[in-house]
């Protein structure tokens, strides 16, 4: 386990959790699961260590691995303001 220190947003202690992280690459949504990250219980801010970031970059940059990845359907809703 890493020590993530204090949240740079609110100052609370960060705890390690495994999260889903999403990335838009060349117009495609890619979700990486089970990413170890420091998560602030107070405000929800998330951070990853540099070595984890490098590993994620290698994962999403590996086209062979992306072809073998499972896919999921994601609802897309266009924002429209309600007129009162």
């Amino acid at each position: 386990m890493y020590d993530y220190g204090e949240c740079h947003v609110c100052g609370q202690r960060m705890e390690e959790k495994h999260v889903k992280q999403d990335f838009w690459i060349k117009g495609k949504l890619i979700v990486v699961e089970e990413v170890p990250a420091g998560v602030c219980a107070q405000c929800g801010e998330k951070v990853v260590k540099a070595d984890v970031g490098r590993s994620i970059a290698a994962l999403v940059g590996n086209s062979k691995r992306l072809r073998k990845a499972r896919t999921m359907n994601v609802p897309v809703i266009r924002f429209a303001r309600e007129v009162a």
Side-chain angles (χ1 to χ4, degrees):
M1 276 188 118
Y2 290 115
D3 178 9
Y4 292 91
E6 295 178 354
C7 175
H8 68 276
V9 174
C10 71
Q12 292 295 314
R13 190 87 185 141
M14 299 194 89
E15 302 171 9
E16 184 170 271
K17 299 202 181 226
H18 287 84
V19 300
K20 290 181 184 175
Q21 188 68 49
D22 59 283
F23 301 91
W24 282 96
I25 300 174
K26 297 182 181 177
K28 294 188 178 192
L29 175 62
I30 299 171
V31 178
V32 181
E33 297 178 310
E34 297 298 318
V35 176
V39 180
C40 178
Q42 177 77 23
C43 72
E45 182 69 11
K46 293 183 270 188
V47 297
V48 297
K49 294 290 187 178
D51 63 322
V52 172
R54 286 189 292 273
S55 294
I56 291 171
L59 273 174
V60 299
N62 184 334
S63 59
K64 186 183 289 185
R65 188 160 190 153
L66 287 177
R67 283 193 300 272
K68 293 180 179 181
R70 69 181 174 84
T71 60
M72 62 183 184
N73 293 322
V74 179
V76 177
I77 303 169
R78 181 179 296 267
F79 177 79
R81 290 196 188 271
E82 295 286 328
V83 178

